[in-house]
Amino acid sequence: AAPLIRELVWARYFPDSSIPESQVAKVAKEIDLYLKLEEEIDRKHRINKGVVNEWILHLLSSEIEHILKPNDPKDIMSLFLFRIFKDLISISDDTEETRDLQVFIAIRRAYANDDLAFLRYHLFKQYFGGLNEDNLDKIADRFPAALRQIEYQFKYPARDKIYTYIKNQTIPFLILDDVLRKHRGKAFSIVSDEDLLSAEVLAACSARYKATSGKVKRAILRSVIFIFITKALFALFVEGALERFLYGRMFWSSIAINILTPPILMIGVGFLIESPNRENSYRILKKINTILYDDPPILGIPLTVKKKPNRVDPILWSIFILLWLITCALSFGAVIFILTKLRVNPFSQAVFIFFLAIVSFISFRINRTAHMYIMKEKKENLGSLLFDFFFMPLIQVGRRLTLGITQINIFLFIFDFIIETPFKGIFAFFEQWFLFLRTQREKLD
């Protein structure tokens, strides 16, 4: 527990000297409890040890964060969202309990940005309550059943529709939370004065827009630098060497196209991104007024979903798959056709498409970040249809490539095990040495 908390402080997750010794003791106790739970589960059940270990790490890391950072303000607003949306959503062919669980998961994902570890932790707490010495054996006995039920909820057929419905309506709650945090303890006086509330909401919107704009600019700059350096090194040392081997010379025009095109595309995306305007802030204010003053608040058309979606006609499904394959062929075919006209060799074309797919996915993610506070009805037009038709295959491929690359991160291994670990050991040694010297000095006093 002590080395873990020390490392969290080093990494600036917590200020220096902000965590008392009593918290270290609590963390140590929870580590012992969860490791004991893992031993009991492995002893009583035949579950894949890797799965159990992953679950224990997720639960334990979430528990430690809850100890070190109690009373997260997001928890209060998440409960407020739950009280509103559970009455706006219904599942026609399933129970209210399942509906409540799905709404709870969607809110934790959409509003609190919980990852898988936190989602498992929250559902585990809903299922068992807190882990302690008294209920440890009972939890170990019922763990397989709980694991199956919780994992089933994560794979629930209608989960994406519920998540999207809630995600599209979280913006006013984020802004309202900013206002209430700024005026902690004065919530009633703020909501009682509509003019003051309006001014604070508009100020909170501007602050969010400014922070998002800075985040987007930094993301674009970092992406451009990273892609340019990576592409230049790859082109000169790998692509150039292979071209010398296969063709006896380097094709500088192909290398220039491969090096310059991805960064230029990223810069172009940056110029095309539009920031939210004042009109958007007034739309958010209108929604907040509805949330605070209407009883019950009507945030949109209530959502009714089915657990089992309507089956698509197999023939129609086959047609959709065929159209998707044609779309992919046209998207990649158009790129290959242009590169062939520019006399780029096949290997350089493959490299170009690889980086183009990754840039497309990164650009898509950055664009979504830039628009995360824009409230508007999504209307399909010719431009969006053409975008989906030509670029979605590239974005999908880029997503798969990006996820695959993150699984094989040689740089993470180098920095973590070769550089960071020895540095931490040296740092810990000197910290203990200074503590020893201070103890010796205190004896003299």
Side-chain angles (χ1 to χ4, degrees):
L4 171 64
I5 291 174
R6 190 183 304 122
E7 188 168 331
L8 290 172
V9 173
W10 287 347
R12 298 287 181 242
Y13 287 107
F14 301 96
D16 291 337
S17 305
S18 64
I19 300 176
E21 288 292 328
S22 59
Q23 296 292 76
V24 179
K26 286 182 182 179
V27 171
K29 181 181 177 182
E30 292 301 323
I31 291 173
D32 288 338
L33 273 174
Y34 277 97
L35 292 180
K36 188 176 179 182
L37 175 63
E38 183 176 13
E39 290 176 0
E40 287 298 306
I41 293 170
D42 288 337
R43 186 176 63 83
K44 293 181 177 182
H45 307 287
R46 291 184 176 181
I47 307 176
N48 184 290
K49 287 192 175 184
V51 172
V52 176
N53 182 254
E54 181 183 87
W55 262 81
I56 294 298
L57 286 176
H58 281 181
L59 296 174
L60 179 56
S61 60
S62 302
E63 187 72 64
I64 290 171
E65 175 150 348
H66 181 70
I67 292 170
L68 300 179
K69 190 183 175 184
N71 304 321
D72 188 346
K74 283 187 176 181
D75 293 342
I76 300 171
M77 188 60 76
S78 295
L79 289 174
F80 182 49
L81 266 76
F82 178 77
R83 291 184 62 184
I84 292 175
F85 283 107
K86 74 181 180 65
D87 297 325
L88 294 175
I89 296 172
S90 60
I91 303 175
S92 59
D93 53 350
D94 212 330
T95 63
E96 287 190 2
E97 182 183 3
T98 300
R99 185 273 316 272
D100 290 347
L101 277 168
Q102 286 301 313
V103 171
F104 177 82
I105 292 170
I107 289 169
R108 295 303 310 187
R109 285 178 61 201
Y111 178 78
N113 291 321
D114 281 356
D115 58 8
L116 180 60
F118 273 118
L119 291 174
R120 283 175 169 175
Y121 172 74
H122 284 300
L123 291 189
F124 180 86
K125 296 273 282 190
Q126 295 285 334
Y127 200 92
F128 292 115
L131 175 66
N132 54 57
E133 291 284 357
D134 297 330
N135 64 6
L136 191 145
D137 287 333
K138 186 175 85 171
I139 291 176
D141 290 335
R142 296 172 55 193
F143 184 80
L147 185 148
R148 285 193 297 271
Q149 288 195 32
I150 291 172
E151 292 297 335
Y152 168 74
Q153 294 298 331
F154 293 150
K155 299 174 183 176
Y156 193 76
R159 67 189 184 281
D160 290 332
K161 288 184 178 179
I162 296 172
Y163 168 76
T164 302
Y165 178 80
I166 292 174
K167 178 70 175 176
N168 290 337
Q169 303 192 63
T170 57
I171 298 170
F173 294 95
L174 291 167
I175 301 299
L176 178 61
D177 189 44
D178 288 347
V179 174
L180 296 179
R181 284 198 207 188
K182 181 180 176 182
H183 299 277
R184 191 183 298 273
K186 301 178 181 178
F188 184 77
S189 61
I190 289 292
V191 300
S192 300
D193 187 337
E194 289 194 35
D195 292 335
L196 178 59
L197 177 67
S198 298
E200 291 296 333
V201 167
L202 295 176
C205 288
S206 297
R208 283 272 183 171
Y209 300 162
K210 187 176 179 181
T212 304
S213 176
K215 188 186 296 184
V216 168
K217 288 176 182 176
R218 288 192 299 273
I220 291 173
L221 180 62
R222 289 171 182 170
S223 299
V224 168
I225 293 172
F226 174 77
I227 291 168
F228 181 77
I229 293 174
T230 305
K231 189 67 191 72
L233 291 174
F234 189 89
L236 294 174
F237 291 102
V238 178
E239 191 178 346
L242 195 63
E243 285 180 353
R244 279 184 176 278
F245 176 76
L246 294 176
Y247 305 104
R249 66 187 181 91
M250 292 176 66
F251 294 89
W252 290 105
S253 58
S254 300
I255 290 175
I257 291 171
N258 271 343
I259 292 175
L260 296 176
T261 304
I264 289 172
L265 287 175
M266 284 296 306
I267 294 170
V269 168
F271 281 114
L272 292 174
I273 290 176
E274 55 182 286
S275 299
N277 53 28
R278 190 78 168 175
E279 191 176 322
N280 185 72
S281 300
Y282 282 110
R283 284 196 292 266
I284 293 174
L285 176 61
K286 185 178 179 181
K287 282 285 185 180
I288 290 176
N289 287 331
T290 299
I291 293 166
L292 292 176
Y293 304 124
D294 292 356
D295 187 22
I298 306 300
L299 299 178
I301 301 172
L303 177 69
T304 301
V305 297
K306 289 184 178 181
K307 173 185 174 182
K308 296 180 180 178
N310 296 327
R311 290 187 176 182
V312 180
D313 184 354
I315 297 175
L316 195 60
W317 183 254
S318 300
I319 293 172
F320 290 158
I321 294 294
L322 180 61
L323 287 173
W324 176 251
L325 292 174
I326 292 171
T327 301
C328 294
L330 287 173
S331 297
F332 288 98
V335 175
I336 293 170
F337 176 78
I338 294 170
L339 293 175
T340 303
K341 286 292 183 182
L342 294 173
R343 297 183 179 180
V344 177
N345 64 73
F347 178 75
S348 295
Q349 290 183 16
V351 173
F352 181 89
I353 291 172
F354 174 84
F355 279 93
L356 179 63
I358 291 177
V359 167
S360 299
F361 175 65
I362 294 173
S363 301
F364 177 75
R365 291 292 298 269
I366 292 174
N367 190 62
R368 285 186 61 182
T369 301
H371 292 170
M372 65 187 300
Y373 296 114
I374 294 180
M375 287 193 64
K376 61 181 179 181
E377 297 294 327
K378 187 174 181 182
K379 297 179 181 179
E380 298 293 346
N381 52 41
L382 183 60
S384 63
L385 288 173
L386 288 174
F387 176 86
D388 288 344
F389 187 82
F390 286 106
F391 286 99
M392 200 51 65
L394 284 168
I395 293 170
Q396 291 281 3
V397 171
R399 178 178 178 273
R400 292 183 179 275
L401 289 173
T402 304
L403 292 175
I405 290 169
T406 55
Q407 300 297 319
I408 312 170
N409 198 335
I410 186 65
F411 295 106
L412 182 63
F413 173 81
I414 292 171
F415 281 103
D416 197 26
F417 290 97
I418 298 177
I419 298 174
E420 188 178 359
T421 302
F423 176 77
K424 288 176 184 174
I426 295 168
F427 200 89
F429 171 80
F430 279 106
E431 186 178 57
Q432 294 299 316
W433 171 247
F434 293 141
L435 178 63
F436 172 78
L437 292 178
R438 188 165 62 247
T439 305
Q440 298 304 310
R441 187 169 60 249
E442 288 170 356
K443 287 180 180 179
L444 296 175
D445 296 337

